[in-house]
Amino acid sequence: MALEPDDPLTRALAAARRTEPGWVDVSSSVMRRVASLARPGEPLLVHTAAGEAAQDDAGSHTYLSSRILTTALRHLLQSAPTHAPAGIDLEVHERRLTAVRVRLAAAYGVELPELGEQVRAEVLAVVRDLLGPDPDLGPGQVEIAFEDVVPGDPREV
């Protein structure tokens, strides 16, 4: 009589191999999907208050992960009952943020043009707070698009 392994993960793996001949295909598919959910962060160049690239005494630039900026923007966009983020895309060229694209769901009855301008200003303020004032990144590089209009609070949909 063979002893079963003590580790539950090892037992589960052995059971999956015995009962499902295609478990390797399923495992690969699941792992690809999980990997697609977590995007690696890109370094974003930070600027000084004067709008120049931030450097230390040795000439090294300062960078912030794009994941930190995206998380801060997501928190901002989830803070009001008038809108909720449907997507946030950052355009980066040579480690410099060149554009921000925000897709939103909005509550029915909200004036979309005014909300779009308000959100654009708030997004730009968060970007400048975290990355500093890049002279090449202004309101024209922050795109706000409404994907959906829903009754009630769009954060609950």
Side-chain angles (χ1 to χ4, degrees):
M1 176 174 189
L3 295 174
E4 290 287 322
D6 288 337
D7 179 32
L9 183 57
T10 304
R11 287 196 313 265
L13 184 59
R17 287 181 176 158
R18 283 192 307 268
T19 59
E20 181 60 50
W23 75 273
V24 173
D25 296 330
V26 172
S27 172
S28 297
S29 173
V30 169
M31 292 308 289
R32 274 194 312 276
R33 289 181 184 168
V34 168
S36 72
L37 294 176
R39 290 184 186 171
E42 293 183 69
L44 301 174
L45 186 61
V46 174
H47 293 80
T48 66
E52 299 170 352
Q55 293 184 0
D56 63 13
D57 293 336
S60 296
H61 288 99
T62 303
Y63 296 97
L64 178 84
S65 172
S66 61
R67 294 176 80 180
I68 293 172
L69 178 58
T70 302
T71 299
L73 292 174
R74 188 167 309 284
H75 284 293
L76 165 75
L77 297 170
Q78 292 172 337
S79 65
T82 56
H83 58 279
I88 301 169
D89 298 308
L90 305 178
E91 185 177 300
V92 180
H93 181 69
E94 295 180 358
R95 298 186 175 185
R96 186 176 213 141
L97 182 64
T98 57
V100 180
R101 291 185 185 83
V102 175
R103 296 182 316 281
L104 295 173
Y108 179 78
V110 174
E111 293 293 329
L112 298 182
E114 288 84 1
L115 178 60
E117 289 305 315
Q118 172 195 329
V119 169
R120 176 178 286 111
E122 291 172 349
V123 165
L124 191 56
V126 168
V127 169
R128 288 181 173 160
D129 184 49
L130 291 175
L131 297 179
D134 182 348
D136 294 330
L137 186 72
Q141 286 72 42
V142 179
E143 179 182 312
I144 307 296
F146 292 96
E147 262 189 13
D148 199 2
V149 175
V150 298
D153 189 337
R155 298 173 300 179
E156 297 174 3
V157 176

